[in-house]
């Protein structure tokens, strides 16, 4: 039996940051990840990371807090937002000391660019490959601190023993076989679930595994109806074109060349909040003012020099996947699922209702993003709350030592039977078929605009898919690097998360942030200024609600 | 909010419309259970915008679910899907299928080279990561007083390591490295490019020790300068250029005792003196006179084949002074460059 003080599940920014903090505190920590750490999707983040350093113009954590609360459409918990915005600057400086290669201003300080719905240029960045730079600097630290990584291990179960988290059961993808890995504390940092949508910026790996693990361990998922749709993604494969393009002065135009944001956000224009821009684009396309199902992101007026120095990655992506050089031509873009604001319910230290189980990053819902996340806040969340979860879990190890929770042989045997049943089955449908049906259903019926009718159809379809997924037909029954098996397991996670999302969305009869209903077009604070909780009730979703934490900012109408 | 009522659709018409094409791929298979390899040929229908990775996904979903390969971001940043396309390493997700289909060409997809194969297109990256770990891949500011805020670095100084910072550790360069093929212990282009990322970093204070270690066995001087790494890197890192920069930096630190370093030095000295390379001096000055004597039989063999220039009247350039003038010009230019990037403690900066 393998045993560690702390296990971190997932090796993106939140996971690695948590592991580094726990290791520095002096506890035995290991990371389990289905991908090599540098393959994690945090590395695809482009635009930047928000902290009120005040390098470009005057700024303050209070101003960052206010923008984030307003951006969340007042659904974010204000105590959590205050923590993030207050601690962000020191975390940025620490990343810089670790070696992060950020873009510099002429005075040698960290440069900061404007991002949507932000009161000041607050986004620290590394050209348009900020996530790439950060994932590599944290991996460097992981090597420096000699942290053990179980690479390409796919966690299939979080084990709860007499109400306490006892560790995880994981499948060794490279060699095959299940392993029980015990720990006093498990930190979930497995990222998002964008792959439940057809048009998505997310990597293939973003399948909500950690959300599903927590849900099945008895922790509710929170605010799952709020899936952020990013306004600028490519039609061919959903790849993200950063908000930094608009931060650097890019325009959005319809087929007539009009900057249509003038109708929706006459002041902020293209730099309004993401939900606002996505809705405006959807309207333009739906009303026939799009070009081949897209609107145009025009960067041609920025000049080749700026494009090459500030946005070289976006240019590469546009040329590779849209066949367009943005120096000469506008890029066709459309809204695509980007970020799950909801996730595993946890407190401001990342602790869930199951003692010993923690969460940080996109998998978690602290909640700092509420109904709509601001660009540049997700990277900051991973660092601040990853560090806090690592620190808090380590402190708990020093206080409590061995919690006594164990993975009994029977638990491993049960899981072995479940996995073997999937692995050996050749009856039923292929996972890829169900995954595509799910993705199209979600994109069509639970996307930018929603109606009760479409959501109910979506819910029926998700239930039908969950039923059909009980027998999945695998071609590959072998044990070494069986990606047919991992694809099937990922589909099961996606379906559970989709059920939580759509069930919450059916119930929420208002429009708030990313949840925009054509049958309930306004925000309804009297009835819906509250978090949705999704409990696992014998495999079905049971809804529950909890008040939002409001400290200083009372809800106001939101306009840009 | 303008015109929500006009947006009558929750669904966009034509959201999935994509022109398609038929593509044929020949794929190298390896079954770890039987230890046997073979080629399989598949024909799939894919969108015209599809990449090699999309084609593999289509095979896996519709033809053969046992096909194994790594993938994740599908946007050339995670580095998972390095593999050989028609014999050369590339990212499957960055390689468009359209040009092959239009040319009527069936591509061959096989695993990367220089790394053991686990299954089908999946290689064991352990030796790759071991080498990354071997170059001490993290910033070391030694006993420098850590500032409360950021180190101050001029934009031009961060630009010195810009290309190396683009590396996604996909292994495409290592797959094609000729030197590693003959010496599996060679640190290789990816690890060396990563090493330069620290040597060239204004904040790193371990430069001398790094260069000492890198100029030893299996290090900088074992590169054969074939430039395959530059050619195959999907991100424009140009690892060979990074290795050249490491060589130049290690010379500045006086690490010239490695045979490879001496070899480079003979080239320089010889061309300076006579405008030409004096091949007869090359061997003894690279490996020492004693070792050179051992190579005499080999030299005679070469001479018989007409491969050795006359050692008694070596080439000399007609206008050697011009060579020397060019040389001085280069030297002057090199001095004009900042020797190394500098990071300034914010407390030491006078705010204006």
């Amino acid at each position: 039996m393998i045993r560690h003080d702390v296990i971190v599940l997932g090796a993106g920014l939140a996971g690695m940051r948590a592991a580094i903090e726990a290791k520095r505190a002096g506890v035995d920590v290991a990371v389990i990840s289905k991908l090599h750490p540098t393959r994690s999707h945090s590395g695809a983040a482009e635009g930047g990371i928000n902290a009120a350093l005040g390098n470009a113009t005057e700024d303050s954590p209070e101003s960052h807090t206010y923008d984030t609360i307003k951006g969340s459409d007042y659904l974010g918990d204000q105590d959590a937002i205050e923590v993030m915005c207050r601690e962000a600057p020191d975390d940025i400086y620490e990343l810089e000391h670790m070696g992060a290669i950020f873009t510099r201003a002429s005075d040698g300080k960290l440069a900061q660019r404007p991002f949507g719905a932000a009161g000041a240029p607050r986004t620290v960045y590394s050209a348009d490959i900020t996530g790439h730079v950060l994932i590599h600097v944290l991996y460097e630290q992981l090597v420096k601190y000699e942290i053990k990584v179980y690479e390409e291990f796919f966690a299939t179960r979080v084990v709860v023993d007499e109400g306490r988290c006892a560790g995880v059961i994981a499948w060794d993808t490279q060699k095959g076989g299940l392993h029980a890995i015990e720990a006093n504390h498990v930190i979930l940092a497995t990222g998002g679930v964008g792959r439940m949508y057809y048009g998505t910026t997310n990597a293939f790996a973003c399948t909500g595994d950690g959300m599903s693990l927590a849900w099945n361990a008895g922790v509710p998922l929170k605010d799952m109806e709020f899936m952020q749709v990013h306004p600028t993604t490519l039609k061919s494969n959903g790849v993200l074109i950063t908000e930094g393009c608009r931060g650097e002065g890019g325009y959005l135009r319809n087929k007539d060349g009009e900057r249509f944001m003038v109708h929706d956000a006459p002041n902020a224009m293209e730099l309004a909040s993401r939900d606002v821009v996505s809705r405006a684009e959807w309207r333009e396309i739906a009303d026939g003012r799009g070009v081949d199902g897209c609107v145009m992101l025009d960067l041609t007026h920025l000049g080749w020099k700026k494009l090459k120095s500030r946005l070289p990655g976006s240019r590469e992506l546009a040329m590779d996947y849209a066949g367009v050089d943005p120096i000469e031509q506008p890029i066709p873009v459309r809204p695509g699922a980007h970020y799950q604001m909801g996730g595993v319910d946890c407190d401001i230290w990342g602790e869930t209702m199951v003692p010993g189980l923690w969460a940080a990053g996109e998998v978690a819902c602290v909640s700092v993003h509420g109904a709509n996340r601001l660009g540049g806040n997700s990277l900051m969340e991973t660092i601040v709350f990853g560090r806090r979860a690592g620190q808090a879990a380590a402190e708990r190890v020093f206080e409590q030592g061995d919690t006594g929770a164990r993975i009994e042989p029977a638990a491993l045997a049960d899981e072995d039977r479940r996995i073997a049943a999937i692995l050996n089955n050749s009856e039923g449908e292929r996972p890829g078929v169900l995954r595509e049906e799910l993705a199209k259903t979600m994109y069509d019926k639970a996307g930018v605009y929603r109606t009760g009718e479409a959501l109910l159809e979506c819910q029926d379809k998700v239930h039908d898919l969950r039923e059909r997924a009980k027998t999945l037909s695998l071609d590959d029954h072998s044990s070494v690097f069986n990606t047919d098996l991992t694809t099937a397991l990922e589909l099961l996670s996606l379906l559970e998360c989709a059920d939580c999302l759509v069930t919450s969305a059916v119930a929420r009869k208002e429009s708030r942030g990313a949840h925009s209903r054509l049958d309930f077009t306004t925000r309804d604070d009297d009835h819906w200024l509250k978090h949705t909780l999704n409990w696992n009730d014998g495999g079905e979703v049971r809804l529950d609600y909890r008040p939002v934490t409001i400290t200083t900012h009372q809800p106001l109408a939101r306009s840009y | 909010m303008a015109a929500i009522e006009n947006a009558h659709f929750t669904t966009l018409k034509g959201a999935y419309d994509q022109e398609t094409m038929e593509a044929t791929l020949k794929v190298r298979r390896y079954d770890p259970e039987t230890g046997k390899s073979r080629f399989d040929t598949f024909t799939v229908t894919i969108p015209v915008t599809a990449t090699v990775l999309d084609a593999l996904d289509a095979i896996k979903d519709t033809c053969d679910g046992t096909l194994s390969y790594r993938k994740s971001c599908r946007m050339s940043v995670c580095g998972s899907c390095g593999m050989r396309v028609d014999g050369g390493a590339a990212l499957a997700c960055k390689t468009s299928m359209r040009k092959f289909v239009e040319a009527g060409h069936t591509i061959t997809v096989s695993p990367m080279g220089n790394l053991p194969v686990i299954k089908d297109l999946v290689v064991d990256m352990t030796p790759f990561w071991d080498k990354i770990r071997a170059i001490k891949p993290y910033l070391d500011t030694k006993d420098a007083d850590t500032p409360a805020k950021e180190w101050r670095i001029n934009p031009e100084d961060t630009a010195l390591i810009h290309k190396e910072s683009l590396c996604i550790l996909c292994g495409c360069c290592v797959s094609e490295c000729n030197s590693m093929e003959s010496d599996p212990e060679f640190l290789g282009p990816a690890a060396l490019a990563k090493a330069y990322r620290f040597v060239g970093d204004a904040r790193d204070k371990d430069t001398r020790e790094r260069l000492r270690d890198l100029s030893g066995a299996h290090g900088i001087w074992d590169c054969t300068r074939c430039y395959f790494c530059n050619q195959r890197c999907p991100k424009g890192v140009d690892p060979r250029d990074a290795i050249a920069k490491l060589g130049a930096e290690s010379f500045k630190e006086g690490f010239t005792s490695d045979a490879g370093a001496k070899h480079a030095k003979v080239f320089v000295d010889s061309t300076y003196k006579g405008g030409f390379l004096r091949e007869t001096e090359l061997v003894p000055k690279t490996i020492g006179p004693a070792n050179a004597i051992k190579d005499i039989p080999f030299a005679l063999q070469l001479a018989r084949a007409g491969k050795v220039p006359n050692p008694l009247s070596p080439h000399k350039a007609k206008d050697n002074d011009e060579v020397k003038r060019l040389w001085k010009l280069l030297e002057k230019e090199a001095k004009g460059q900042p020797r190394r990037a500098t990071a300034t403690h914010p407390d030491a900066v006078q705010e204006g």
Side-chain angles (χ1 to χ4, degrees), chain A residues 359-390:
Chain A
E362 189 174 348
V363 71
C365 182
V366 178
S367 81
V368 287
H369 310 304
N372 174 65
R373 176 175 72 77
L374 297 191
N377 270 356
S378 62
L379 291 187
M380 201 65 251
E381 181 198 15
T382 64
I383 302 299
V384 170
F385 290 100
R387 170 179 54 72
R388 288 171 67 94

Side-chain angles (χ1 to χ4, degrees), chain B residues 9-325:
Chain B
F9 307 109
T10 58
T11 305
L12 285 186
K13 265 188 207 148
Y16 310 113
D17 293 352
Q18 290 200 42
E19 202 186 325
T20 58
M21 61 189 181
E22 204 165 77
T24 305
L25 299 86
K26 202 167 126 188
V27 184
R28 176 95 174 165
R29 308 296 301 270
Y30 171 73
D31 180 348
E33 282 172 13
T34 62
K36 286 187 179 148
S37 299
R38 64 175 197 276
F39 279 104
D40 281 348
T41 302
F42 301 99
T43 299
V44 283
T45 303
I46 49 177
V48 292
T49 54
T51 61
V52 172
L53 181 62
D54 295 326
L56 293 174
D57 277 346
I59 293 170
K60 190 169 179 72
D61 278 347
T62 62
C63 307
D64 185 350
T66 67
L67 179 65
S68 293
Y69 46 95
R70 287 192 180 97
K71 65 170 181 179
S72 188
C73 76
R74 59 78 179 90
M75 55 187 281
S76 339
V77 73
C78 81
S80 297
C81 66
M83 56 188 73
R84 279 179 166 163
V85 177
D86 284 340
L91 292 178
C93 74
K94 198 179 162 67
T95 309
S96 166
M97 282 298 297
R98 190 171 191 161
K99 56 184 181 291
F100 302 125
V101 172
E102 283 174 355
H105 172 66
T106 298
I107 56 163
T108 302
V109 184
S110 53
M112 289 200 290
N114 282 331
L115 293 161
V117 179
I118 294 178
K119 181 184 180 185
D120 296 340
L121 304 170
V122 179
V123 293
D124 180 4
M125 294 287 283
T126 311
F128 178 90
W129 300 119
D130 285 348
K131 284 169 185 169
I132 298 293
R133 270 193 290 273
I135 58 102
K136 190 181 167 184
Y138 48 87
L139 196 75
D140 185 354
T141 54
K142 297 224 159 157
D143 48 5
D145 180 19
T146 304
K149 293 188 173 183
E150 73 267 48
W151 289 102
R152 299 289 183 89
I153 311 175
N154 288 328
E156 308 84 66
D157 280 6
T158 49
L160 292 177
I161 51 171
H162 170 70
K163 282 212 283 187
E164 292 74 17
S165 76
L166 298 174
C167 177
I168 59 172
L169 302 176
C170 61
C172 286
C173 56
V174 162
S175 167
E176 305 310 302
C177 177
N178 278 299
S179 194
M180 201 177 279
E181 210 174 315
S182 55
D183 173 15
E185 284 185 65
F186 174 46
L187 280 172
L192 288 170
K194 184 84 181 167
Y196 183 72
R197 176 250 167 279
F198 295 103
V199 165
D201 192 305
R203 296 160 292 190
D204 195 87
K205 296 287 177 280
D206 196 38
T207 313
R208 193 173 157 79
E209 291 80 349
R210 289 183 189 277
L211 291 168
R212 183 196 59 213
D213 295 346
L214 294 167
S215 51
H218 314 295
I220 304 168
W221 301 107
D222 282 21
C223 167
T224 60
R225 303 169 178 83
C226 71
Y227 283 84
F228 276 27
C229 55
N230 281 16
Q231 194 187 346
R232 281 295 168 180
C233 172
K235 300 301 288 186
V237 174
D238 291 339
R240 171 55 221 165
D241 297 10
I243 299 171
K245 286 182 260 184
L246 286 172
E249 292 297 321
S250 60
F251 258 65
K252 288 181 195 167
E253 291 290 345
F255 298 122
T256 54
S257 62
D258 186 271
K262 286 179 183 161
H263 190 76
K265 202 164 183 317
V266 183
F267 266 81
V268 172
D269 292 348
S270 173
T271 46
Y272 178 69
K273 278 185 205 147
F276 269 106
L277 177 65
R278 296 156 74 99
E279 282 98 335
T280 19
E281 291 176 5
L282 196 59
V283 179
K285 285 191 173 169
T286 299
I287 59 174
N291 285 323
I293 287 167
K294 289 184 209 154
D295 272 344
I296 284 176
F298 181 57
L300 290 175
Q301 235 179 316
L302 282 173
R304 271 197 294 275
K307 301 282 185 190
V308 178
N310 183 356
L312 302 173
S313 67
H315 306 297
K316 191 159 181 171
K318 276 186 193 135
D319 187 359
N320 200 35
D321 287 345
E322 192 179 342
V323 175
K324 289 188 177 176
R325 280 199 299 278

Side-chain angles (χ1 to χ4, degrees), chain A residues 154 418-438 462 464-477 482-496, chain B residues 61 65:
Chain A
F154 191 108
R418 183 177 81 95
I419 300 299
I422 298 170
L423 180 63
N424 297 321
N425 189 45
S426 308
E427 307 287 313
E429 295 169 272
R430 293 281 297 148
V433 173
L434 301 197
R435 192 188 58 226
E436 183 158 332
E437 271 187 46
L438 171 70
V462 170
D464 170 52
L465 289 167
R466 282 190 71 187
E467 197 55 39
R468 285 155 63 192
K470 284 180 179 163
T471 49
L472 290 170
S473 167
L474 264 58
D475 284 355
D476 195 344
H477 308 294
N482 185 339
T483 50
D484 217 19
L485 173 65
T486 46
T487 304
L489 295 172
E490 288 173 339
L491 173 66
L492 298 177
S493 303
L494 284 173
L495 286 168
E496 288 174 351
Chain B
D61 278 347

